[in-house]
Each structure stands twice: as C-alpha cells, then as structure tokens.
Amino acid sequence: MFIDYTKISVKSGKGGSGAISFWTEKYVANGGPDGGDGGKGGDVYFAVDSDANTLINFRYNKKYIAESGENGSGGNCYGKAGKDLYIKVPLGTVVKDAKTGKVVVDLSHEGQTELVLKGGKGGKGNAHFSTSTRQAPRFAQDGENGIEKEIILELKLIADVGLIGFPNVGKSTILSMVSAAKPKIANFHFTTLEPNLGVVKTELGSSFVLADIPGVIEGASEGIGLGLTFLRHIERTRLLLHVIDVAGTEGRDPVQDFNTINEELKKYSPKLSTKKQIIVANKIDVLQNKENLTRLKELAKQNGMELFEISAATNTGLKELMNYVAKVLKEIPVEDIVETEERVVYTLKEDKSEIIVKKENNIYVVTGNAIDKLIAKVNLSDNESMHYFHKSLKNLGVNERLKKLGIQEGDTVKFNSWEFEWYE
C-alpha cells in the first residue's frame, strides 16, 4: 500500500530534576550542598531511510516520545541523558508543523538527518544555588518539559521526469514499455491509484527515473478525484511529458485536454506551470481525425514545445522520445529542492516578553514559559527558596508590571496553580 500523507504526534524527552542533597561524612557536622544536575531529555531527529518508499509504518503508530533524562543525585552525580529518538522516513519526505503548515525540514538527500525537537534541559541541583549568604539551599530545579508537536509527514516522490495527462491516455502503458515497472493497465479511468516509478535506460547509456502520476483531471487543484493526493509528486520532477490522446477515443478534444491540465497545474502551484514540457501525442495508430494532430502541432509551436507522435500500445516512437528526454535532462540543471529557507528547531524559550501579567476578577494572574521554569525551581516549604523566587520575579520585571496594574499588599497573585498574598 502506498501512503504519502500522515499526521503524527512527536515529543522530545523531559529533562531530569536536580537533586537536593548535602555532603555527609563521619565527623563532618554540616556538609555543603552536593545535589547533582538532572540529565538532558532526548532530542528528536528525522532521518532518511533509503530502504523505505512509503509512510505506511506511520499508519498505526501515531505517537513518538524521546526518552527522558534521569534525575540527579547526591555527591554531585549528574543524571544520565535520555536517548535521542530517530524517526526514519523515506527519501523525499517533507516535515511540516500541523498547526501552522510551515515546512520544518525537507528530507530530500540520501543520508540526511535533521534535528527537529530539542529535549528539555536537566534541572540544576541545589549545589548550584549555594551563595555566601545561602549556604544550605534546600531547593533544586526541575527539568524542562519536553516539547510536543503535531507533525505532518508528506512524501513527494523524487523522479527526473513525470508523465501527466488525463486518465486512460496511455501513461501506464508508456511506463511499462520503456522500463521494468509493471503498473496495472486496463481500459477504464483511474486504473492507476498510486504513482509508479521506473528507471529508463536509453541506448546511449544514460538513465533517468520516470514517474507515472495519476489523478490529474479538471478540478484536481481543488481536490476533485485524486488530484491533491498526487499533484505534490509532480513538484519534484525536472521535466514533464504531457501525454495526450490525439485520437480523441473518449470524445475529448486534445487541445482542450492540454489547456485543462495546465490550468490545474497553475492553480496548484505557479512553479509547476513553468516546468519544461514535451507534448506526447499518443494513440496515433488509431487516429482518424488528422485535424486533431494538426491543431496539437500548432499548439506546441505556439508554446515553444516539442511534440512527439507515438503509439504506446505498438511501441512506436518511444525509443526516439526517450533518447530525446535523456538529452534534454542533461541541459536542465538539478535544482536544490529543499523547500524551507530557514531550518526550524523547536526549543523551549525563556523570553521575558512572553510573560503575561493581567488582572482577572480581582486576582492578578502571571503566566509564561519563563514563569513555568522558575516555579519548577521553587520549594514552597523553604524560606530561602521563596526568597530566590521573589528575587527572580523582580529580575524578570514581574513586580514592576504588577505595580502598574495597581497591586497592593494582601492582594492575591496566581502563578499557574499557585496562589499567594502579595507582599514586598
């Protein structure tokens, strides 16, 4: 089964928590703090698997979580880092953020491995919080949470040449004649329900990958038929062979077929409409109305395109066509097909501008990622820890923003699930 689109949930590992510990030794009454740091959570990578050609492995397994870091311990012992998670995908897979639709990374090169989600940092042990005035800190820092994202995986086949055209114009027959591929062939619409690839080897010694792209009909760019499912595969190709039933065996007009398909390409992606095309006038062995061929030749001339007359069923003209395709490919540079201009690596940010301070029903509410990270460090039952908390709030500018909102001593302030009476 060919699967080229799926949505999965991915989460990086949580960092381990720092330890609260004090050095103990015989004859030493008050040993100093020696709590070790927690281990870093595992990162999440996407890697190209050269043996895979479909996303079927993601059909049932939809959730992927990297290993969390271990907690620190006494004696300044650090926790073990969590193992990184490597998610293997076929060559040509595009990774997108499901929420924004933004391309995160395009895995279009053999051996490519890309970091996508950073694991949470390990929390600091209490040894880090010792100062000249705070010699026995009874608090440590929790590890950062992992980052969870919904990810879209979209597979776009990588082929040099794409066969496009209406159903039943002979695309699959052409592929079967010029390569070792054995696509299903029958005389009815949508026989081909998935893209087929074949390697063409010409008599001149050159070779290229040819793809039979199904589902491009009128309305394909709006999702009619199988259009949107397979239009994405055309984007990778360097050259398009536009196959047209010049005999009009199904009552359609060949010139209108050409214009209809090209209009759908343009609607889907303006870039597709600029790709080089060769018109392939198929079924000349059953051509009755020669005016169809004359009009198609005039159309090719107007658009500056080459036209080849062939009969895929009788293997007429295919050798000449494939030799010409190989020649043209040498003149078309291989583009860098990476879609994203800027690599995205998801990390937890500590940004003061992300702190939100507001008043709701006479309660002052403070939220933000920096606040979450600060709360993770605090031990409510320890005075020194609370002193550290209030000092940090001041450094983050929270105190000043609360005063601007009119806070008074005794008012209630809420930090996530924590509620305090405000005092200075």
Side-chain angles (χ1 to χ4, degrees), residues 26-173:
K26 192 175 182 180
Y27 307 121
V28 177
N30 298 305
D34 67 350
D37 298 348
K40 176 183 171 298
D43 298 332
V44 176
Y45 292 83
F46 281 86
V48 170
D49 180 1
S50 57
D51 294 326
N53 54 18
T54 173
L55 297 173
I56 194 169
N57 291 339
F58 300 93
R59 188 178 184 187
Y60 301 109
N61 189 4
K62 297 288 188 179
K63 197 170 184 70
Y64 296 82
I65 303 175
E67 189 176 75
S68 294
E70 294 182 359
N71 296 335
S73 57
N76 290 307
C77 291
Y78 284 37
K80 184 180 178 182
K83 288 183 180 178
D84 296 334
L85 174 64
Y86 289 82
I87 301 174
K88 294 186 176 181
V89 295
L91 182 68
T93 300
V94 178
V95 180
K96 294 182 176 180
D97 186 314
K99 185 176 181 180
T100 64
K102 184 176 182 179
V103 174
V104 177
V105 65
D106 188 341
L107 295 153
S108 52
H109 303 293
E110 289 284 356
Q112 189 175 356
T113 299
E114 299 288 353
L115 171 65
V116 174
L117 278 78
K118 290 280 287 183
K121 294 178 182 178
K124 293 179 180 179
N126 68 333
H128 283 278
F129 301 101
S130 176
T131 66
S132 58
T133 57
R134 188 198 303 129
Q135 296 183 2
R138 297 184 180 278
F139 63 96
Q141 184 181 10
D142 285 349
E144 284 185 343
N145 289 322
I147 306 163
E148 188 166 9
K149 287 285 181 181
E150 268 204 322
I151 294 292
I152 290 173
L153 299 180
E154 193 174 273
L155 176 59
K156 298 183 180 182
L157 297 180
I158 298 178
D160 299 299
V161 184
L163 290 166
I164 62 170
F166 272 86
N168 211 27
V169 295
K171 300 188 298 295
S172 296
T173 303

Side-chain angles (χ1 to χ4, degrees), residues 24 247 320:
T24 58
E320 293 78 9

Side-chain angles (χ1 to χ4, degrees), residues 389-421:
F389 176 63
H390 283 285
K391 183 179 179 180
S392 298
L393 287 178
K394 183 178 180 181
N395 293 337
L396 289 169
V398 174
N399 291 7
E400 184 179 348
R401 293 170 68 178
L402 285 170
K403 289 177 183 178
K404 287 182 178 180
L405 287 178
I407 195 167
Q408 300 292 327
E409 288 205 10
D411 288 344
T412 301
V413 185
K414 185 175 182 181
F415 300 92
N416 290 342
S417 59
W418 292 9
E419 288 191 3
F420 300 95
E421 282 192 4

Side-chain angles (χ1 to χ4, degrees), residues 371-390:
I371 297 299
D372 295 341
K373 293 174 70 174
L374 175 59
I375 289 174
K377 302 176 184 179
V378 178
N379 180 356
L380 282 173
S381 61
D382 182 75
N383 288 333
E384 289 184 336
S385 180
M386 291 303 296
H387 176 73
Y388 170 81
F389 176 63
H390 283 285

